[in-house]
Amino acid sequence: MAVHLITGAGSGIGAVLAEHLAERGDDLWLLARDARRATELRERFPGARTLVGDLGDPAKLSWAFGHQALPVELDSVLHVAGMVELGTVGELPVKAWQETLNVNLVAPAELTRLLLPSLRLVKGHMVFVNSGAGLRSDAEWSAYAASKHGLKALADALRHEEHANGVRVTSVYPGRTATAMQAKVHQQEGKAYDESRWIAPESVAKAVLAALDASRDAEITDITVRPGA
């Protein structure tokens, strides 16, 4: 029975991953931003345990975890949570930059630091659900793309650092996926949202599971998932 910690399990890709892993009989630890959200997650995923920590305030994660029981061993940490705020470089305020970088980059770095000892014990797996924006940058996507480019750098550096410890590191780069975040993006773009045009969260979850299930003689380092025809 494997043990997984998931961020962003409340919706979208994270929720689908939690459902699949629970169906397999694995143990789940789900990160929640507050106690109310933690209760909702435990009700949705019976048997799951929760940790409370606000990704929007990564400087306090260490303090928050110091007041909670942490998993001793982790087979995987799945970084799925994220946020997006569109805007031109000339107009996007510093608050939007700070919030985006905190949630999408600094918090994953801090969670990784705090949870690495639990992964090293069992030669576990760190998965970063990145974005196509982690490989390129388009107009009005500067803050989000910068955070995701940084997340790629984090994962690449971690892979080199932890190879000798047996910790595997995978980055997954989905294109536009039919989630609540995508609906928000369309609203910011002033476009009608049709989820049938985009990747199903299930498809991205399957890519993550393929990386987790790879035999120990292989490490799947990067997966790009694009909308199908």
Side-chain angles (χ1 to χ4, degrees), residues 16-222:
V16 175
L17 277 169
E19 290 166 0
H20 277 293
L21 294 170
E23 288 170 359
R24 287 165 31 154
D26 290 353
D27 282 345
L28 301 182
W29 288 75
L30 308 178
L31 185 72
R33 62 178 173 268
D34 54 39
R36 179 187 62 81
R37 188 62 166 164
T39 299
E40 292 173 353
L41 288 172
R42 289 194 300 271
E43 291 174 349
R44 181 171 182 178
F45 301 101
R49 284 167 284 189
T50 53
L51 286 173
V52 175
D54 184 1
L55 298 180
D57 194 356
K60 293 183 179 178
L61 287 172
S62 179
W63 178 89
F65 284 7
H67 292 76
Q68 301 173 77
L70 295 178
V72 176
E73 297 179 353
L74 279 171
D75 292 280
S76 82
V77 174
L78 309 178
H79 296 278
V80 187
M83 66 159 289
V84 61
E85 191 69 37
L86 301 187
T88 65
V89 175
E91 296 178 351
L92 203 62
V94 68
K95 181 179 179 181
W97 278 93
Q98 290 173 333
E99 290 176 347
T100 303
L101 290 169
N102 276 345
V103 172
N104 293 353
L105 177 58
V106 182
E110 177 66 350
L111 279 177
T112 297
R113 183 182 75 85
L114 295 172
L115 298 173
L116 260 178
S118 296
L119 266 82
R120 288 171 176 157
L121 282 175
V122 292
K123 297 182 178 180
H125 201 145
M126 192 78 69
V127 178
F128 297 90
V129 177
N130 198 299
S131 166
L135 301 172
R136 67 179 189 281
S137 185
D138 296 323
E140 300 192 10
W141 287 78
S142 58
Y144 183 75
S147 71
K148 293 300 189 177
H149 276 68
L151 193 65
K152 179 185 186 301
L154 167 63
D156 289 348
L158 181 69
R159 186 177 302 113
H160 290 295
E161 293 167 1
E162 293 300 318
H163 182 77
N165 293 323
V167 174
R168 297 192 288 188
V169 180
T170 299
S171 288
V172 181
Y173 302 94
R176 293 202 181 207
T177 304
T179 65
M181 179 185 288
Q182 192 57 230
K184 177 184 176 181
V185 165
H186 276 68
Q187 184 178 34
Q188 292 184 32
E189 291 176 326
K191 298 178 181 178
Y193 175 57
D194 178 2
E195 66 176 19
S196 67
R197 295 183 57 197
W198 310 119
I199 304 168
E202 174 80 17
S203 299
V204 181
K206 286 179 179 178
V208 174
L209 293 173
L212 290 178
D213 293 340
S215 57
R216 286 300 313 184
D217 64 318
E219 180 179 16
I220 299 176
T221 59
D222 299 276

